[in-house]
């Protein structure tokens, strides 16, 4: 009888295989390196990506009202990161959900992602990226949605594995560490995040993301938590304090390659291909974010000039600003934002309708209004 082929990760130079009770071998990654020698092409790409992020950071610092960009960018990221995990909700669905209309499929899962990112950013002043913060984010992500029975806010207490739905563990594409190894692995991961060594922040973010996915500390939600940690790290490091850069659009477009690149690191121990892939994503998404930021700024200025030509009241201009945070809304939401009665919003919304900026959504109760041109610019 021929010998069984060696395990694909048996020769990994950056991790070890451990037998687990399920009768297979689990992969346990080594501690992350605190320094790396980067090849010239990666150094060049790192410089490109860093310059694009710095440009985006400059735009964020000069915004008079950062909410006009932060809110839509974050919701788009939430949609795309969740889509990688199989959700179907669109950006419009999320805004409808926020407005209190019908609850589209998966919209609550996406909304939980928004809540988790906002919570993480708000907590950074008092609580650095840490195991404690991970547990808080995970609880927010999974409460009240699919996976809510899978111990939100707790490290996994069972073995998990990666593969197509229904794949038995013996045929898994990847078997992460057993639960008993998680605390030690995450302790080193946390030390790495806060290490003051020579790794540039973008390289640190790439390695941090890989290690989190390799450890896979939760029963569910690992991919989304791992992706939202990237903007949190950049904010904590002071690289991009205004959270305008998200990579899920890039990862979603290249989903098979994204998974392959992460697994390839474990196979070969060669960080270079993963760093190329990650830094290309940072560069391209920073450019895309800058383009979207300019598009939204121009659209906002166009709408504002249009309304001023029509001698719109200050309350109309105020609701215009709120549209860029919430482009689908009800009269009640508008009243709450403006601090007026629901009845008083009728004339305000009428002015936006007359200018072609918003339109009522048919067959909705309570009545929804939507800014279609703005939604199209976001998507």
């Amino acid at each position: 009888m021929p010998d069984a082929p060696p395990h694909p990760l048996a020769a990994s130079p950056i991790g070890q295989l451990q037998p687990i009770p399920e009768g297979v071998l689990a992969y346990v990654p080594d501690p992350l390196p605190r320094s790396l020698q980067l090849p010239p092409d990666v150094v060049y790409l790192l410089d490109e990506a860093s310059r694009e992020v710095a440009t985006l950071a400059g735009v964020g610092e000069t915004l008079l009202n950062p909410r006009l960009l932060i809110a839509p960018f974050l919701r788009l990221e939430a949609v795309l990161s969740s889509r990688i995990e199989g959700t179907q909700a669109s950006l419009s669905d999320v805004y409808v959900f926020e407005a209190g209309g019908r609850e589209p499929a998966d919209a609550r899962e996406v909304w939980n992602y928004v809540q988790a990112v906002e919570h993480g950013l708000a907590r950074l002043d008092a609580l650095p990226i840490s195991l404690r913060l991970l547990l808080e984010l995970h609880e927010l992500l999974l409460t009240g949605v699919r996976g809510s029975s899978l111990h939100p806010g707790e490290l996994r207490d069972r073995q998990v594995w990666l593969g197509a739905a229904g794949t038995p563990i013996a045929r898994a594409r990847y078997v992460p560490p057993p639960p008993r190894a998680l605390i030690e692995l995450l302790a080193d991961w946390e030390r790495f995040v806060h290490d003051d060594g020579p790794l540039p922040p973008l390289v640190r973010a790439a390695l941090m993301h890989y290690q989190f996915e390799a450890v896979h500390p939760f029963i569910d939600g690992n991919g989304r938590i791992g992706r939202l940690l990237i903007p949190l790290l950049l904010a904590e490091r002071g690289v991009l304090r205004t959270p305008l850069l998200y990579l899920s659009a890039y990862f979603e477009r290249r989903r098979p390659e994204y998974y392959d690149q992460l697994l390839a690191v474990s196979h070969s121990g060669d960080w270079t291909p993963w760093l190329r892939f990650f830094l290309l994503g940072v560069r391209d998404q920073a450019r895309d974010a800058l383009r979207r930021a300019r598009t939204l700024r121009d659209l906002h200025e166009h709408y504002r000039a249009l309304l001023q030509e029509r001698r719109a009241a200050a309350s109309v201009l105020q609701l215009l600003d709120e549209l860029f945070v919430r482009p689908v809304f009800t009269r009640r939401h508008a009243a709450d934002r403006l601090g007026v009665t629901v009845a008083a919003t009728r004339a305000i919304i009428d002015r936006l309708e007359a200018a072609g900026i918003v339109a009522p959504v048919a067959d909705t109760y309570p009545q929804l209004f939507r800014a279609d041109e703005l939604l199209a610019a976001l998507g």
Side-chain angles (χ1 to χ4, degrees):
M1 184 174 179
D3 293 337
H7 192 284
L9 295 174
S12 173
I14 60 166
Q16 296 84 40
L17 294 172
Q18 289 185 6
I20 56 175
E22 288 79 4
V24 299
L25 296 171
Y27 182 76
V28 180
D30 290 342
L32 286 165
R34 269 43 177 187
S35 63
L36 284 177
Q37 189 68 37
L38 303 178
D41 70 306
V42 174
V43 172
Y44 179 80
L45 188 54
L46 173 62
D47 182 60
E48 270 196 310
S50 299
R51 281 188 280 111
E52 296 293 345
V53 171
T55 301
L56 187 60
V59 170
E61 294 292 334
T62 59
L63 291 173
L64 294 177
N65 187 350
R67 290 173 65 242
L68 301 188
L69 289 182
I70 292 172
F73 277 39
L74 172 53
R75 281 150 183 77
L76 183 59
E77 160 68 9
V79 166
L80 294 172
S81 186
S82 301
R83 190 172 295 165
I84 293 173
E85 308 304 325
T87 64
Q88 301 299 316
S90 67
L91 184 60
S92 181
D93 289 337
V94 175
Y95 282 121
V96 168
F97 173 77
E98 284 188 61
R102 61 185 175 82
E103 186 168 323
D106 302 329
R108 186 175 293 275
E109 290 188 43
V110 179
W111 175 239
N112 280 7
Y113 188 98
V114 172
Q115 297 289 94
V117 176
E118 290 181 337
H119 177 80
L121 290 166
R123 289 285 275 151
L124 287 181
D125 288 338
L127 181 65
I129 296 174
S130 57
L131 176 56
R132 180 180 166 190
L133 183 59
L134 287 182
L135 298 180
E136 290 182 9
L137 299 176
H138 188 256
E139 184 172 13
L140 283 170
L141 187 72
L142 290 191
T143 296
V145 296
R146 285 184 306 173
S148 60
S149 63
L150 301 176
H151 306 290
E154 299 177 22
L155 297 178
R156 58 181 168 87
D157 59 356
R158 69 187 78 167
Q159 188 62 52
V160 296
W161 60 95
L162 279 65
T167 300
I169 191 171
R171 295 186 179 180
R173 191 165 190 251
Y174 177 72
V175 181
R180 64 177 181 272
L182 295 179
I183 292 297
E184 183 178 347
L185 287 166
L186 289 170
D188 180 75
W189 177 88
E190 187 174 323
R191 287 191 294 270
F192 172 83
V193 168
H194 298 291
D195 183 77
D196 291 326
L199 288 177
L202 293 180
V203 173
R204 189 175 301 277
L207 270 60
M208 172 203 71
H209 181 71
Y210 159 81
Q211 190 80 342
F212 183 86
E213 298 304 326
V215 172
H216 232 67
F218 301 113
I219 297 174
D220 190 24
N222 293 283
R224 285 166 288 172
I225 295 290
R227 287 186 288 275
L228 71 80
L229 284 169
I230 296 169
L232 292 189
L233 179 66
L234 297 182
E236 185 177 76
R237 289 266 164 173
V239 176
L240 193 61
R241 295 191 183 278
T242 305
L244 298 175
L245 176 70
Y246 299 99
L247 296 187
S248 289
Y250 175 77
F251 292 153
E252 206 275 334
R253 286 196 307 271
R254 303 173 68 168
R255 192 185 309 184
E257 186 180 1
Y258 169 50
Y259 292 142
D260 289 346
Q261 289 284 1
L262 287 170
L263 188 58
V265 176
S266 302
H267 278 278
S268 68
D270 183 0
W271 295 99
T272 299
W274 165 244
L275 287 174
R276 286 195 191 103
F277 179 79
F278 185 90
L279 293 171
L280 277 171
V282 171
R283 185 197 68 185
D284 291 353
Q285 289 309 121
R287 289 174 178 172
D288 180 75
L290 189 60
R291 178 186 61 79
R292 289 177 187 273
R294 287 169 174 159
T295 298
L296 292 176
R297 182 190 61 197
D298 292 347
L299 190 60
H300 181 261
E301 290 176 355
H302 168 67
Y303 284 160
R304 195 170 184 84
L306 180 63
L307 291 171
Q308 286 173 334
E309 286 176 6
R310 294 169 176 241
R311 301 185 183 279
S315 56
V316 179
L317 297 175
Q318 186 181 347
L319 185 55
L320 171 68
D321 287 350
E322 290 299 328
L323 281 182
F324 283 74
V325 178
R326 181 176 280 173
V328 181
F329 64 97
T330 63
R331 289 191 177 93
R332 166 54 62 191
H333 284 122
D336 290 344
R337 292 290 182 175
L338 299 178
V340 300
T341 65
V342 173
T345 65
R346 293 182 180 275
I348 298 170
I349 295 170
D350 285 348
R351 297 299 297 272
L352 293 176
E353 274 194 77
I357 296 173
V358 303
V361 181
D363 302 321
T364 55
Y365 184 82
Q367 180 67 64
L368 292 175
F369 296 87
R370 185 171 61 205
D372 287 325
E373 187 179 16
L374 174 54
L375 281 169
L378 290 171

